[in-house]
Amino acid sequence: MGLLFAAIATALRLTWVLLVPSRPVGDFALYLESAAYLLEHGAFDSEFIYMPGYVLLLAAVQALGGGVLCAKLVGVVLSGAAAWPVFGIATRLFDRRAGVIAATLYTLWPAGIAVASVTGTDMPTAALLITATYLLVCLGDQRPWRAAVLFGLVLGLAATVRAVAVPLAALAVFYWLAAGARLPAALARTAAGCAVAALVLLPWGIRNQRVYGEFFLTDSHGGHTALVGSNPNSDGVYTRSLNQIFWKGTGYKLFDPPHRASDRAAYQLARSWAAFEPAFALGLVVAKADRLLTLERPLLYWPVYRQGVLPDGARAWFDAHRGDLERLVDGCWYFLVAAAAIGFVVALSRRHWRALALTLIPLALTALYASFFSEVRYHLAIAIFIFPFAGLALRTLIDGPGELFAGRLNRRDRRRLARELLGSLAVVILIFVGWPRLVSAGAAIRDRHRWAATVCTVGDRSQVCSWRAATPPPSPVRGVWNGVGLRPRADSEVAAVTALPLAAGQYRITATIDSALPSIEPSVDVTLRTGSNAVAEVALPAPAGAPAASVDAIVDHPGGLLEFRFAAAPIPGRPTSDFPSVWLSDLAVRVKD
């Protein structure tokens, strides 16, 4: 039965690929280019900082004479074949009917079909993760050591495609404990799985030792993705201005050689950003979780709606039906989430501890992506784990009322069914009411504590300056790579501050102030501090009433912190939403000649 579902799922995805002739662009084209380079030169190019597994597959396809269509078939076959482990997990943990329903839902999953035409790593990773989990569940009872070894083997293969799979091997200990193993046995089997996964990655580690002079089993851009995900100027979304901040602030270019040093510098900068305003960092985690889990319609962007992906004729049809397609994709996702939540309640009620232990894998993936960086396509490896629970939920909703009305349930079973139905209703309401409120709360936290990271010049070098609001919330501060902006208010002054530790001396301070409205009167003040004590306050001259003004002043500094305060006076009578921003850019502090 699992093979039948795999065949149907593969056929549906192949049909989509043939009917929707999308072109690989962006990262997806990069994988194909990297495979071609590997095939021609026998080594990865100097810019390659990703895991090798998917590129090796594409290189094998190209070596056999396959083109883009054949490359897409890698994803088609892997994503289609994943219907088998979905069926197997639900059948083993629950029953055959739950397995049939789970596999049917996966086979007809609209978003899963749509991304089959994308030459990316997300769906292959999801397929390998669910297959590794199936081997754990299928063989765990009778052949636990074989299950542990095969789990580690397939998880290691998944890690060669996406490094995020590396730490998941350790989660097997919870499955073994839920299956009734004693702690020493659970730890030993988990260690065996981790060792096998490490052996799979060993050639990659040796290659890294040869290329970088150090042994590691992951990719070389984890710090860069953490930096993108912690960017306060964009709420954790990639922007090209981040390249300027990173390059001018650290001397390295994003994703460019030297890879390891650049990656470490990016990670250190990301950590400093998170520590600068922890509340904002927390709100940013919520934003990344929202981006990862709330909607599936953005998944249509890569195979259909990204510029240049489809020929004009095919794109016209999808444009004409975009609203309906997006509602279909989102509606199916909401249905799956609700069903999975009900399945979780039923599994908890019936003490399916092994099934509940498996939820740690998607939860860990969610935590990792929300902490570092997230895009909606990353959720494919998370979503695939909800189908067994959705199958259990629908089987319970179909069979439970029928058995109740037929009088086949005893008193204990009737109470259990009532408990499950009420608990399911409560959890579904909690998710669909609570999640939007959590997202709104995260946005409110970011609005209260928003700050800006900009490039400023200190002495003869550039560095990153961090500006926080110096007025009551919501924060008026916005940032771009070379400047900090303020959103003036109708009733009070707004301001932002940053501080630079400087040695004693005489400094020349220059900056540019830009305003869209001449009526705004910005000001720049400097406070000289030694430790926490203010020594002096200096108002830097800036001509008022002009769209652009230059700041140019000399300050005698006794040594310690030099604190800048950039402020904009209120503009009475104008609605807040219409306020233009006032910008302070190109701040430079140099020793006076």
Side-chain angles (χ1 to χ4, degrees):
M1 182 67 77
L3 279 174
L4 176 61
F5 279 113
I8 296 172
T10 302
L12 287 175
R13 284 150 179 78
L14 178 59
T15 302
W16 169 267
V17 167
L18 295 176
L19 292 176
V20 184
S22 61
R23 303 184 186 98
V25 295
D27 288 348
F28 311 125
L30 176 64
Y31 295 129
L32 292 169
E33 294 166 2
S34 298
Y37 187 97
L38 174 63
L39 196 61
E40 181 178 353
H41 299 279
F44 292 106
D45 65 87
S46 61
E47 303 296 314
F48 190 82
I49 55 175
Y50 308 100
M51 295 302 287
Y54 184 64
V55 173
L56 289 172
L57 275 176
L58 295 181
V61 169
Q62 292 179 7
L64 295 173
V68 173
L69 178 59
C70 291
K72 291 181 180 181
L73 294 183
V74 173
V76 167
V77 171
L78 286 174
S79 62
W84 187 355
V86 167
F87 170 79
I89 290 172
T91 299
R92 288 275 181 169
L93 294 178
F94 308 126
D95 57 38
R96 188 177 179 83
R97 293 195 65 190
V100 169
I101 296 171
T104 301
L105 291 173
Y106 175 79
T107 298
L108 302 176
W109 180 26
I113 294 173
V115 297
S117 60
V118 174
T119 54
T121 58
D122 304 288
M123 204 61 221
T125 301
L128 289 169
L129 287 178
I130 200 70
T131 300
T133 305
Y134 169 66
L135 293 170
L136 191 67
V137 172
C138 180
L139 302 175
D141 290 338
Q142 301 300 322
R143 297 179 176 86
W145 284 101
R146 181 179 296 182
V149 169
L150 290 177
F151 176 74
L153 175 65
V154 180
L155 202 64
L157 293 174
T160 67
V161 179
R162 291 295 294 269
V164 73
V166 172
L168 301 181
L171 297 178
V173 66
F174 297 101
Y175 178 83
W176 294 120
L177 292 173
R182 294 185 178 275
L183 181 60
L187 291 173
R189 295 169 191 171
T190 303
C194 292
V196 172
L199 283 175
V200 173
L201 294 168
L202 182 61
W204 181 243
I206 295 173
R207 176 262 183 189
N208 290 333
Q209 176 70 47
R210 179 174 55 83
V211 173
Y212 299 113
E214 59 179 298
F215 182 86
F216 59 96
L217 301 178
T218 59
D219 53 38
S220 300
H221 69 100
H224 293 112
T225 54
L227 183 65
V228 173
S230 60
N231 184 2
N233 298 345
S234 65
D235 278 5
V237 176
Y238 174 74
T239 60
R240 292 191 179 185
S241 68
L242 181 62
N243 297 344
Q244 296 293 320
I245 295 177
F246 184 59
W247 174 37
K248 294 182 180 295
T250 67
Y252 298 104
K253 290 189 176 181
L254 211 62
F255 304 116
D256 281 0
H259 296 309
R260 296 299 289 171
S262 175
D263 200 49
R264 288 193 183 95
Y267 185 65
Q268 290 301 320
L269 185 56
R271 288 185 61 183
S272 70
W273 283 357
F276 180 76
E277 193 63 77
F280 181 84
L282 178 62
L284 206 52
V285 168
V286 176
K288 288 179 281 190
D290 173 40
R291 203 173 298 137
L292 182 68
L293 298 174
T294 298
L295 297 171
E296 282 201 323
R297 68 176 58 185
L299 287 172
L300 298 175
Y301 172 73
W302 290 281
V304 176
Y305 291 116
R306 182 165 176 168
Q307 189 68 33
V309 167
L310 288 180
D312 291 340
R315 176 65 182 270
W317 186 90
F318 282 102
D319 283 339
H321 298 84
R322 182 165 187 165
D324 293 334
L325 291 172
E326 290 180 341
R327 283 188 290 271
L328 171 66
V329 169
D330 286 343
C332 288
W333 173 241
Y334 296 148
F335 173 79
L336 289 172
V337 169
I342 295 171
F344 180 85
V345 171
V346 173
L348 184 63
S349 171
R350 302 184 184 186
R351 301 182 180 181
H352 291 305
W353 303 124
R354 292 186 302 158
L356 295 172
L358 296 182
T359 61
L360 294 176
I361 295 177
L363 288 175
L365 287 172
T366 301
L368 286 169
Y369 285 131
S371 299
F372 283 79
F373 174 71
S374 70
E375 288 187 6
V376 67
R377 60 189 175 93
Y378 293 176
H379 102 151
L380 295 170
I382 298 169
I384 200 168
F385 283 91
I386 75 174
F387 289 96
F389 289 93
L392 173 63
L394 294 183
R395 197 269 292 157
T396 302
L397 293 175
I398 293 171
D399 293 348
E403 292 176 345
L404 177 63
F405 292 128
R408 292 194 293 267
L409 298 180
N410 58 35
R411 183 177 179 181
R412 179 180 178 183
D413 289 339
R414 290 196 300 270
R415 293 177 62 183
R416 184 191 65 189
L417 180 61
R419 182 175 64 247
E420 290 170 357
L421 292 176
L422 290 175
S424 297
L425 180 62
V427 170
V428 170
I429 292 174
L430 179 64
I431 290 174
F432 285 94
V433 174
W435 181 258
R437 296 196 175 199
L438 176 63
V439 171
S440 297
I445 290 174
R446 296 195 304 278
D447 287 341
R448 288 179 62 87
H449 299 277
R450 188 174 299 280
W451 59 284
T454 71
V455 174
C456 57
T457 301
V458 179
D460 58 354
R461 60 181 295 270
S462 298
Q463 69 177 53
V464 179
C465 289
S466 300
W467 295 80
R468 60 162 46 97
T471 46
S475 171
V477 178
R478 300 294 185 273
V480 293
W481 75 269
N482 68 334
V484 58
L486 295 175
R487 297 192 177 216
R489 296 175 182 164
D491 55 354
S492 63
E493 181 185 71
V494 293
V497 296
T498 190
L500 301 173
L502 295 172
Q506 194 174 56
Y507 292 92
R508 182 182 182 186
I509 300 171
T510 59
T512 300
I513 296 176
D514 295 289
S515 172
L517 287 181
S519 60
I520 297 179
E521 297 185 2
S523 63
V524 183
D525 300 329
V526 171
T527 301
L528 313 180
R529 296 182 180 275
T530 55
S532 59
N533 299 318
V535 176
E537 295 186 3
V538 181
L540 305 185
S550 296
V551 174
D552 193 340
I554 306 298
V555 172
D556 291 316
H557 184 42
L561 288 179
L562 189 65
E563 183 181 278
F564 290 85
R565 185 177 188 273
F566 173 47
I571 310 177
R574 293 184 61 87
T576 303
S577 59
D578 289 343
F579 282 1
S581 290
V582 185
W583 293 90
L584 174 71
S585 55
D586 300 324
L587 174 64
V589 181
R590 297 182 174 92
V591 177
K592 185 178 182 300
D593 297 333

Short mmCIF file of all heavy atoms in Angstrom, two decimals, residues 514-545:
data_model
loop_
_atom_site.label_atom_id
_atom_site.label_comp_id
_atom_site.label_asym_id
_atom_site.label_seq_id
_atom_site.Cartn_x
_atom_site.Cartn_y
_atom_site.Cartn_z
N ASP A 514 19.19 64.70 6.72
CA ASP A 514 18.24 64.86 5.61
C ASP A 514 16.83 64.85 6.16
O ASP A 514 16.50 64.05 7.04
CB ASP A 514 18.40 63.73 4.59
CG ASP A 514 19.74 63.77 3.90
OD1 ASP A 514 19.96 64.67 3.10
OD2 ASP A 514 20.58 62.89 4.19
N SER A 515 16.00 65.72 5.61
CA SER A 515 14.60 65.80 6.04
C SER A 515 13.72 66.05 4.84
O SER A 515 14.04 66.86 3.97
CB SER A 515 14.41 66.92 7.06
OG SER A 515 13.04 67.12 7.33
N ALA A 516 12.60 65.34 4.80
CA ALA A 516 11.67 65.54 3.70
C ALA A 516 10.83 66.81 3.88
O ALA A 516 10.27 67.32 2.91
CB ALA A 516 10.75 64.33 3.57
N LEU A 517 10.74 67.27 5.12
CA LEU A 517 9.97 68.48 5.40
C LEU A 517 10.87 69.54 6.01
O LEU A 517 11.50 69.31 7.05
CB LEU A 517 8.82 68.17 6.37
CG LEU A 517 7.63 67.40 5.81
CD1 LEU A 517 6.60 67.21 6.91
CD2 LEU A 517 7.02 68.12 4.63
N PRO A 518 10.94 70.71 5.39
CA PRO A 518 11.78 71.77 5.97
C PRO A 518 11.35 72.19 7.36
O PRO A 518 12.15 72.73 8.11
CB PRO A 518 11.62 72.92 4.97
CG PRO A 518 11.16 72.28 3.69
CD PRO A 518 10.34 71.11 4.11
N SER A 519 10.08 71.94 7.71
CA SER A 519 9.60 72.39 9.02
C SER A 519 10.18 71.56 10.17
O SER A 519 10.13 71.98 11.33
CB SER A 519 8.07 72.31 9.07
OG SER A 519 7.64 70.98 8.84
N ILE A 520 10.73 70.40 9.87
CA ILE A 520 11.32 69.58 10.92
C ILE A 520 12.67 70.18 11.31
O ILE A 520 13.49 70.49 10.45
CB ILE A 520 11.50 68.13 10.44
CG1 ILE A 520 10.14 67.51 10.14
CG2 ILE A 520 12.23 67.30 11.48
CD1 ILE A 520 10.22 66.09 9.64
N GLU A 521 12.91 70.31 12.60
CA GLU A 521 14.15 70.87 13.09
C GLU A 521 14.92 69.80 13.86
O GLU A 521 14.74 69.63 15.07
CB GLU A 521 13.87 72.08 13.96
CG GLU A 521 13.21 73.23 13.22
CD GLU A 521 13.06 74.46 14.08
OE1 GLU A 521 13.52 74.41 15.25
OE2 GLU A 521 12.52 75.47 13.60
N PRO A 522 15.78 69.06 13.18
CA PRO A 522 16.56 68.02 13.88
C PRO A 522 17.72 68.64 14.64
O PRO A 522 18.16 69.76 14.37
CB PRO A 522 17.05 67.14 12.74
CG PRO A 522 17.14 68.06 11.58
CD PRO A 522 16.05 69.08 11.75
N SER A 523 18.21 67.89 15.60
CA SER A 523 19.37 68.34 16.38
C SER A 523 20.26 67.16 16.68
O SER A 523 19.80 66.01 16.74
CB SER A 523 18.92 69.00 17.68
OG SER A 523 18.24 68.06 18.50
N VAL A 524 21.53 67.42 16.87
CA VAL A 524 22.49 66.40 17.25
C VAL A 524 23.27 66.91 18.45
O VAL A 524 23.90 67.96 18.39
CB VAL A 524 23.46 66.07 16.09
CG1 VAL A 524 24.40 64.95 16.49
CG2 VAL A 524 22.70 65.70 14.83
N ASP A 525 23.19 66.15 19.54
CA ASP A 525 23.91 66.51 20.76
C ASP A 525 24.93 65.42 21.08
O ASP A 525 24.74 64.26 20.75
CB ASP A 525 22.95 66.65 21.94
CG ASP A 525 21.91 67.73 21.70
OD1 ASP A 525 22.24 68.71 21.00
OD2 ASP A 525 20.78 67.59 22.19
N VAL A 526 25.98 65.80 21.74
CA VAL A 526 27.01 64.87 22.17
C VAL A 526 27.17 65.00 23.68
O VAL A 526 27.27 66.11 24.22
CB VAL A 526 28.36 65.15 21.47
CG1 VAL A 526 29.46 64.31 22.10
CG2 VAL A 526 28.26 64.87 20.00
N THR A 527 27.16 63.85 24.35
CA THR A 527 27.42 63.81 25.79
C THR A 527 28.75 63.10 26.02
O THR A 527 28.94 61.98 25.55
CB THR A 527 26.29 63.07 26.54
OG1 THR A 527 25.06 63.73 26.29
CG2 THR A 527 26.57 63.05 28.03
N LEU A 528 29.63 63.74 26.72
CA LEU A 528 30.93 63.16 27.04
C LEU A 528 30.82 62.45 28.39
O LEU A 528 30.37 63.04 29.38
CB LEU A 528 32.00 64.25 27.11
CG LEU A 528 32.02 65.26 25.94
CD1 LEU A 528 33.13 66.29 26.14
CD2 LEU A 528 32.20 64.53 24.62
N ARG A 529 31.20 61.18 28.42
CA ARG A 529 31.06 60.40 29.65
C ARG A 529 32.40 59.74 30.01
O ARG A 529 33.13 59.29 29.13
CB ARG A 529 29.99 59.31 29.50
CG ARG A 529 28.58 59.85 29.28
CD ARG A 529 27.58 58.73 29.20
NE ARG A 529 26.23 59.22 28.99
CZ ARG A 529 25.42 59.63 29.97
NH1 ARG A 529 25.83 59.58 31.23
NH2 ARG A 529 24.21 60.07 29.70
N THR A 530 32.66 59.66 31.28
CA THR A 530 33.73 58.81 31.81
C THR A 530 33.05 57.81 32.73
O THR A 530 32.50 58.18 33.77
CB THR A 530 34.76 59.64 32.60
OG1 THR A 530 34.09 60.37 33.62
CG2 THR A 530 35.48 60.61 31.68
N GLY A 531 33.05 56.56 32.34
CA GLY A 531 32.25 55.57 33.05
C GLY A 531 30.78 55.87 32.84
O GLY A 531 30.33 56.08 31.72
N SER A 532 30.01 55.96 33.92
CA SER A 532 28.58 56.27 33.80
C SER A 532 28.29 57.73 34.07
O SER A 532 27.13 58.16 34.06
CB SER A 532 27.78 55.40 34.79
OG SER A 532 28.22 55.65 36.12
N ASN A 533 29.31 58.52 34.31
CA ASN A 533 29.11 59.92 34.67
C ASN A 533 29.24 60.82 33.45
O ASN A 533 30.19 60.72 32.68
CB ASN A 533 30.14 60.35 35.73
CG ASN A 533 30.01 59.54 37.01
OD1 ASN A 533 28.90 59.28 37.47
ND2 ASN A 533 31.15 59.13 37.56
N ALA A 534 28.26 61.70 33.27
CA ALA A 534 28.32 62.68 32.19
C ALA A 534 29.28 63.80 32.58
O ALA A 534 29.17 64.39 33.66
CB ALA A 534 26.94 63.25 31.91
N VAL A 535 30.23 64.07 31.71
CA VAL A 535 31.21 65.13 31.95
C VAL A 535 30.73 66.45 31.37
O VAL A 535 30.82 67.50 32.00
CB VAL A 535 32.58 64.74 31.36
CG1 VAL A 535 33.58 65.88 31.54
CG2 VAL A 535 33.08 63.47 32.01
N ALA A 536 30.21 66.39 30.14
CA ALA A 536 29.75 67.61 29.48
C ALA A 536 28.78 67.24 28.38
O ALA A 536 28.79 66.12 27.87
CB ALA A 536 30.93 68.39 28.90
N GLU A 537 27.90 68.17 28.04
CA GLU A 537 26.98 68.00 26.93
C GLU A 537 27.23 69.11 25.92
O GLU A 537 27.32 70.28 26.28
CB GLU A 537 25.53 68.03 27.41
CG GLU A 537 25.16 66.86 28.32
CD GLU A 537 23.70 66.82 28.67
OE1 GLU A 537 22.95 67.69 28.15
OE2 GLU A 537 23.29 65.94 29.44
N VAL A 538 27.33 68.71 24.65
CA VAL A 538 27.66 69.65 23.59
C VAL A 538 26.60 69.55 22.50
O VAL A 538 26.32 68.45 22.00
CB VAL A 538 29.05 69.36 22.99
CG1 VAL A 538 29.38 70.37 21.89
CG2 VAL A 538 30.11 69.37 24.08
N ALA A 539 25.99 70.67 22.12
CA ALA A 539 25.05 70.71 21.01
C ALA A 539 25.84 71.00 19.73
O ALA A 539 26.50 72.03 19.63
CB ALA A 539 23.99 71.78 21.24
N LEU A 540 25.78 70.08 18.79
CA LEU A 540 26.50 70.27 17.54
C LEU A 540 25.69 71.15 16.61
O LEU A 540 24.48 70.92 16.42
CB LEU A 540 26.78 68.92 16.87
CG LEU A 540 27.53 67.89 17.72
CD1 LEU A 540 27.85 66.66 16.89
CD2 LEU A 540 28.81 68.48 18.31
N PRO A 541 26.29 72.15 15.99
CA PRO A 541 25.52 73.07 15.13
C PRO A 541 25.04 72.37 13.87
O PRO A 541 25.80 71.72 13.17
CB PRO A 541 26.54 74.17 14.81
CG PRO A 541 27.87 73.51 14.96
CD PRO A 541 27.72 72.51 16.06
N ALA A 542 23.73 72.49 13.62
CA ALA A 542 23.14 71.96 12.38
C ALA A 542 22.11 72.97 11.92
O ALA A 542 21.13 73.23 12.62
CB ALA A 542 22.47 70.62 12.63
N PRO A 543 22.28 73.58 10.77
CA PRO A 543 21.32 74.57 10.30
C PRO A 543 19.91 73.98 10.22
O PRO A 543 19.71 72.90 9.68
CB PRO A 543 21.85 74.94 8.92
CG PRO A 543 23.30 74.56 8.94
CD PRO A 543 23.40 73.39 9.84
N ALA A 544 18.92 74.69 10.77
CA ALA A 544 17.54 74.22 10.75
C ALA A 544 16.82 74.76 9.52
O ALA A 544 17.24 75.74 8.92
CB ALA A 544 16.82 74.67 12.02
N GLY A 545 15.70 74.12 9.19
CA GLY A 545 14.83 74.62 8.13
C GLY A 545 15.31 74.30 6.74
O GLY A 545 14.87 74.91 5.78
#
